[in-house]
Amino acid sequence: MENNAKPRVRFAPSPTGPLHIGGLRTALFNYLFAKHHGGDFLLRIEDTDQTRYVPGAEEYILEALDWCGIKIDEGPREGGTHAPYRQSERKALYAGYAQQLIDSGNAYYAFDTNEELDAFRLSAELKGETFTYNNATRNGLKNSLSMTDSQLQHALQSDSHHVVRFKMPENVVVEEVDLIRGHVQFNTNQLDDKVLFKSDGMPTYHLANVVDDHLMEITHVIRGEEWLPSMPLHILLYKAFGWKDTMPQFSHLPLILKPVGKGKLSKRDGDQMGFPVFPLAWKDPETGDISRGYREDGYLPDGLINMLSLLGWNPGTEQEIFSMEQLIESFSLDRVGKSGSRFDPEKTKWFNHQYLIKHSDQELATLFLPFLESKGMQVPFELVVRVCGLVKERCHFVNEVWEQGFFFFQSPTSYDEKMVSKRWKDGVPEMMAEIAEFFGTVENWSAPQIKEPFSLLVTEKGWNFGTVMNSLRLCLVGGSFGPDIFEICEIIGREETVARIGRAVRIIAVVG
RNA sequence: GGUCUGUUCAUCUAAGGGUUAGGAUUCAAGAUUUUCAUUCUUGCCAUAGGGGUUCGAAUCCCCUACAGACUACCA
């Protein structure tokens, strides 16, 4: 840090829908940076576009950050010394700042209608050019720079819809050091006179963002790369307001790209390839469409965060598993890369497995219980704990406990065809019946107590171990998977074990 | 089209002029598990291309190619 002050950073999403994992990573990096330097992380809701407001989106953002363990120091829910934290509630503030820019000659009124501007864009496009509202064109357009005073007064009073545009200076080179990208520069001739204040009385992103970052004493702006092109405008705004001295430092994060193909990661990719792009499931209030979420798909927040942290950042060591505390400890902006990273759903899976086996059996059982309940099953907690301990090594997701261990809670409903044709041959049903009989004679019903005499029996009868074990497994779980067979016997109990064998013998047809 | 940004194994990445270019994921093979998964071992695989600068370049410079972002009264 150049200054000694504790950094203040903000995550400033628009409540236009669920938070995307790209946005989540931006929030994460802001949070890690702030906490690493002992600073504050603020949440500001940028809801200046009323037409795009989606109910529930703000609550979603809060819930997602909570789930991920990203703690907000100041925000609409938490409050703080710089409230309010919703731009819609700060509406009254912005007009004065727009006026300030007009008075200082840095901005002007513009009266062009959308239709007029569209026409200009269209005709420029036909000539293979791009229409830009700037120093070269603004004198030929309807604005306070091209009008006489009386025309202006008339236009202002006749209630015509107007906007305020920034007066982009001519041929000025704007230079700045981006903490991630280094020195970057732009020539203002390539930029346009952006609208700062809309005809509906709301500021645009650019004005609101700069004003609020200044007022909220933000020291570092860490945002996605898509904002890099508007950095010169923002810098010029700070200058125009006379806030250059306290201007925040900028960092533009590389984007998260599609796993395959071109472009940045989108909701569509997740739908097509079968992985979530949102931390939490989301139901679109208009269409009713449901998008899956990491939480509902059985991912653990620590794993998601860990995976996200390594997308575009690395610690410079070979460590890969990081708790949030360790991330805070190791994070630094100068180890953030410049190029976009492809999202890899496979690696996300691997991370999740790492965290799944780290969790205690009790914790995992607690997470799995709601899933069991959603299936209408009432299972003693102790049993769930035991099952989790037995199957967690073979799971990638919390939900997978069911796939890997459903047979602890209910009889198999079908038998794997491949296993049947491979194992269920002549003589096997009889063999199973003898085993069922034998189980009835076992004294102490526990895995080790069953195993020993069972092995003796198999040897005595001269049976093939592979056939016996696999056929028995088929009877008990319905296929060729699951933990130790005697553990299964112990847990489901003698009665159920015998019953399952009987049922299999009755149902499965012997194959040639 | 214009502006800006970027380019190391299939993927995430390390190597701040000198290493057989390292690790992780995926994939493949073997071992373990009388099942499946896990785990372990081994293997495959990269400096976009072309010019410079230098004793020496993944690293510095230039060109080309490719990729991405932006180009709204959206953020």
Side-chain angles (χ1 to χ4, degrees):
Chain A
M1 287 312 81
E2 283 176 33
N3 43 11
N4 296 326
K6 297 293 179 202
R8 284 170 64 80
V9 303
R10 84 294 193 284
F11 176 53
S14 265
T16 54
L19 182 62
H20 178 279
I21 52 174
L24 181 59
R25 189 193 56 162
T26 302
L28 174 66
F29 282 18
N30 270 283
Y31 176 74
L32 295 177
F33 177 81
K35 295 301 146 185
H36 179 84
H37 293 102
D40 290 330
F41 173 75
L42 338 204
L43 177 71
R44 185 173 69 223
I45 300 296
E46 307 224 326
D47 52 354
T48 52
D49 185 357
Q50 291 135 332
T51 62
R52 294 212 308 158
Y53 177 79
V54 174
E58 183 182 323
E59 291 73 11
Y60 180 99
I61 292 165
L62 254 16
E63 198 181 343
L65 293 179
D66 287 346
W67 183 64
C68 291
I70 296 174
K71 298 189 192 72
I72 303 162
D73 294 302
E74 295 175 30
R77 179 182 58 186
E78 291 71 15
T81 48
H82 296 66
Y85 294 91
R86 257 179 227 109
Q87 289 184 330
S88 57
E89 293 170 13
R90 303 169 68 80
K91 184 177 174 180
L93 243 138
Y94 306 110
Y97 285 100
Q99 188 60 49
Q100 193 181 320
L101 291 178
I102 292 169
D103 294 344
S104 62
N106 287 296
Y108 60 88
Y109 295 107
F111 301 90
D112 317 88
T113 64
N114 280 326
E115 292 70 31
E116 288 166 343
L117 293 173
D118 284 345
F120 281 121
R121 290 192 185 102
L122 193 66
S123 71
E125 201 174 315
L126 291 174
K127 283 183 279 183
E129 294 163 5
T130 310
F131 169 76
T132 337
Y133 206 124
N134 65 6
N135 137 74
T137 58
R138 71 169 79 102
N139 285 332
L141 295 156
K142 284 198 223 165
N143 54 57
S144 55
L145 265 20
S146 65
M147 289 171 161
T148 64
D149 277 355
S150 63
Q151 281 175 320
L152 174 61
Q153 289 314 316
H154 179 75
L156 248 22
Q157 277 157 23
S158 67
D159 190 40
S160 58
H161 283 266
H162 62 270
V163 300
V164 175
R165 283 182 182 271
F166 185 67
K167 189 180 171 189
M168 189 56 74
E170 186 182 353
N171 197 29
V172 170
V173 175
V174 180
E175 296 180 85
E176 189 56 40
V177 173
D178 180 292
L179 261 24
I180 291 171
R181 274 146 221 287
H183 176 258
V184 281
Q185 62 177 47
F186 304 82
N187 187 302
T188 53
N189 283 356
Q190 312 299 338
L191 274 19
D192 65 339
D193 292 357
K194 277 271 178 281
V195 171
L196 299 177
F197 203 81
K198 298 185 272 188
S199 57
D200 66 359
M202 284 294 252
T204 60
Y205 168 82
H206 303 291
L207 210 221
N209 193 265
V210 166
V211 167
D212 284 346
D213 281 346
H214 170 74
L215 260 23
M216 293 183 179
E217 301 180 80
I218 298 302
T219 60
H220 298 263
V221 170
I222 303 168
R223 73 226 305 194
E225 189 185 347
E226 67 267 31
W227 294 111
L228 191 54
S230 54
M231 184 168 76
L233 168 64
H234 297 171
I235 291 169
L236 260 11
L237 280 171
Y238 280 102
K239 262 192 192 153
F241 279 121
W243 300 335
K244 194 83 198 324
D245 295 344
T246 55
M247 185 173 81
Q249 288 193 275
F250 291 94
S251 306
H252 291 90
L253 264 23
L255 266 20
I256 299 180
L257 276 16
K258 295 175 187 299
V260 292
K262 298 176 174 185
K264 56 178 177 180
L265 183 67
S266 71
K267 167 170 154 32
R268 221 188 168 75
D269 300 308
D271 294 344
Q272 284 173 353
M273 298 182 63
F275 63 87
V277 295
F278 302 121
L280 276 32
W282 165 261
K283 183 177 178 186
D284 189 298
E286 270 192 27
T287 65
D289 288 350
I290 293 181
S291 301
R292 58 207 291 186
Y294 278 90
R295 183 178 61 184
E296 290 73 14
D297 274 16
Y299 287 81
L300 270 5
D302 331 41
L304 213 215
I305 288 297
N306 198 156
M307 182 279 296
L308 244 26
S309 73
L310 260 17
L311 230 43
W313 172 81
N314 78 84
T317 66
E318 285 182 357
Q319 183 178 354
E320 289 212 278
I321 301 295
F322 288 88
S323 65
M324 189 66 97
E325 289 67 35
Q326 289 171 317
L327 285 174
I328 290 171
E329 174 72 31
S330 334
F331 188 79
S332 98
L333 278 177
D334 42 60
R335 291 209 67 92
V336 174
K338 298 186 180 79
S339 52
S341 328
R342 269 186 198 286
F343 180 77
D344 183 0
E346 285 302 323
K347 196 143 186 178
T348 311
K349 246 174 107 171
W350 178 81
F351 269 113
N352 210 59
H353 175 73
Q354 299 303 312
Y355 279 90
L356 204 67
I357 56 181
K358 266 187 159 188
H359 273 68
S360 72
D361 301 349
Q362 280 77 9
E363 286 170 322
L364 185 53
T366 307
L367 291 168
F368 181 60
L369 218 49
F371 182 80
L372 222 41
E373 279 161 6
S374 76
K375 282 194 166 287
M377 305 203 72
Q378 293 290 331
V379 181
F381 187 66
E382 280 313 308
L383 173 59
V384 182
V385 172
R386 181 124 190 244
V387 170
C388 284
L390 239 29
V391 304
K392 73 177 179 187
E393 284 264 316
R394 52 213 332 128
C395 295
H396 287 85
F397 310 109
V398 176
N399 301 359
E400 230 181 321
V401 172
W402 175 258
E403 289 161 47
Q404 295 293 338
F406 67 89
F407 45 84
F408 286 111
F409 311 116
Q410 62 180 217
S411 294
T413 48
S414 65
Y415 300 94
D416 181 61
E417 281 179 38
K418 275 185 193 151
M419 275 302 282
V420 170
S421 56
K422 189 176 175 193
R423 300 289 181 190
W424 209 254
K425 308 226 161 118
D426 262 348
V428 169
E430 292 75 11
M431 192 189 280
M432 291 299 113
E434 281 194 59
I435 288 169
E437 208 171 300
F438 155 79
F439 280 153
T441 69
V442 172
E443 285 185 22
N444 295 309
W445 192 258
S446 72
Q449 296 288 330
I450 304 166
K451 187 175 181 175
E452 208 175 309
F454 181 88
S455 307
L456 231 54
L457 175 77
V458 174
T459 316
E460 247 174 52
K461 296 276 184 183
W463 290 333
N464 175 287
F465 259 98
T467 307
V468 176
M469 297 301 282
N470 287 297
S471 302
L472 179 55
R473 181 174 290 280
L474 181 64
C475 295
L476 300 184
V477 311
S480 168
F481 51 84
D484 182 76
I485 197 87
F486 300 107
E487 295 278 359
I488 298 173
C489 290
E490 179 186 326
I491 291 176
I492 65 176
R494 186 202 309 264
E495 205 177 313
E496 176 69 11
T497 305
V498 172
R500 285 189 192 184
I501 294 173
R503 183 164 176 272
V505 169
R506 259 182 287 121
I507 293 178
I508 310 175
V510 175
V511 288

